[in-house]
Amino acid sequence: AQSVTQPDIHITVSEGASLELRCNYSYGATPYLFWYVQSPGQGLQLLLKYFSGDTLVQGIKGFEAEFKRSQSSFNLRKPSVHWSDAAEYFCAVGAGNNDMRFGAGTRLTVKP
Amino acid sequence: EAGVAQSPRYKIIEKRQSVAFWCNPISGHATLYWYQQILGQGPKLLIQFQNNGVVDDSQLPKDRFSAERLKGVDSTLKIQPAKLEDSAVYLCASSQGSNQPQHFGDGTRLSIL
């Protein structure tokens, strides 16, 4: 079965600084990859997804992610973080049967 | 379009009591999921429905958890009897089909006393 590792439990960045959240997956075939964001007391909102094609994926709210097969990674990036980006971020990997597994999440704190 | 609706938002019960959660997916979404999210962890899939049939319930503790999706639309998740370790947020999600993005409700936060 597939699995996801998010190595960073908590990251703090200053407002306006760049951001990179790491995600590593384990799966034998080409995975379906997702990044979700969760604000306190709310459900998960899809930021972006990778199914195939261009390995650099653009998402909502200025986020992007790059699929690197050689590194089994799907890191999320944003060039300039806003205070409203503070939330929990989850990477997820889906298999062919739509069995999706989530990472443990990375909590982002934004300093003023 | 209207999102995934869940109720109640919060529920507090004592251990050994029973509880039920309700989910109304996005109209037209054939696939419905129930997840358990324990504090500090990512969501864990409990059960997946395709229309009104179960696709995957391998991680559902069937001795106490049950779920149904009558008529392939709304779904209910029940816990009976509840244990302390069931304290979590229960998330419902729906998607148009296999490997399509899942849309999540705001969840039900369950506290067991």
Side-chain angles (χ1 to χ4, degrees):
Chain A
Q2 68 275 32
S3 65
V4 179
T5 301
Q6 293 181 247
D8 304 305
I9 296 173
H10 183 206
I11 283 183
T12 299
V13 300
S14 297
E15 190 168 16
S18 63
L19 171 70
E20 182 169 29
L21 302 182
R22 296 184 291 165
C23 172
N24 294 99
Y25 69 90
S26 174
Y27 184 57
T30 300
Y32 301 90
L33 295 162
F34 307 84
W35 273 100
Y36 286 86
V37 60
Q38 185 178 35
S39 297
Q42 297 185 14
L44 281 71
Q45 180 185 21
L46 180 69
L47 287 175
L48 47 79
K49 61 184 184 292
Y50 171 79
F51 282 7
S52 64
D54 192 346
T55 56
L56 185 62
V57 180
Q58 302 297 320
I60 62 172
K61 304 184 179 185
F63 286 92
E64 66 177 26
E66 187 171 11
F67 170 55
K68 293 185 177 180
R69 184 188 301 275
S70 61
Q71 299 177 20
S72 297
S73 69
F74 189 57
N75 294 349
L76 182 71
R77 301 193 293 252
K78 186 169 185 178
S80 177
V81 171
H82 188 263
W83 64 266
S84 60
D85 293 325
E88 188 92 16
Y89 290 80
F90 292 94
C91 181
V93 58
N97 60 358
N98 206 30
D99 177 11
M100 195 153 77
R101 301 297 171 98
F102 286 85
T106 297
R107 183 161 60 93
L108 174 65
T109 297
V110 181
K111 293 190 304 184
Chain B
E1 65 181 2
V4 176
Q6 289 189 248
S7 67
R9 287 298 313 275
Y10 306 93
K11 190 72 177 179
I12 301 174
I13 63 173
E14 295 184 347
K15 60 183 179 182
R16 291 188 289 273
Q17 286 187 323
S18 62
V19 64
F21 313 126
W22 173 82
C23 174
N24 179 238
I26 292 174
S27 178
H29 280 194
T31 311
L32 185 148
Y33 313 80
W34 282 104
Y35 288 88
Q36 180 192 59
Q37 187 178 19
I38 293 173
L39 186 65
Q41 299 181 18
K44 183 185 83 171
L45 180 69
L46 292 176
I47 189 167
Q48 176 185 339
F49 291 95
Q50 182 72 20
N51 296 309
N52 61 349
V54 175
V55 174
D56 182 359
D57 64 357
S58 58
Q59 299 189 86
L60 187 73
K62 298 180 186 61
D63 58 333
R64 299 184 300 104
F65 286 65
S66 65
E68 60 182 10
R69 191 184 184 196
L70 301 177
K71 302 181 182 178
V73 181
D74 294 4
S75 177
T76 56
L77 176 69
K78 296 179 182 178
I79 307 175
Q80 182 180 7
K83 292 185 175 181
L84 291 175
E85 61 259 36
D86 298 333
S87 292
V89 175
Y90 290 84
L91 295 165
C92 179
S94 69
S95 69
Q96 290 181 316
S98 179
N99 289 313
Q100 293 300 308
Q102 298 180 21
H103 300 261
F104 285 80
D106 287 339
T108 297
R109 182 176 298 277
L110 175 65
S111 297
I112 311 295
L113 304 179

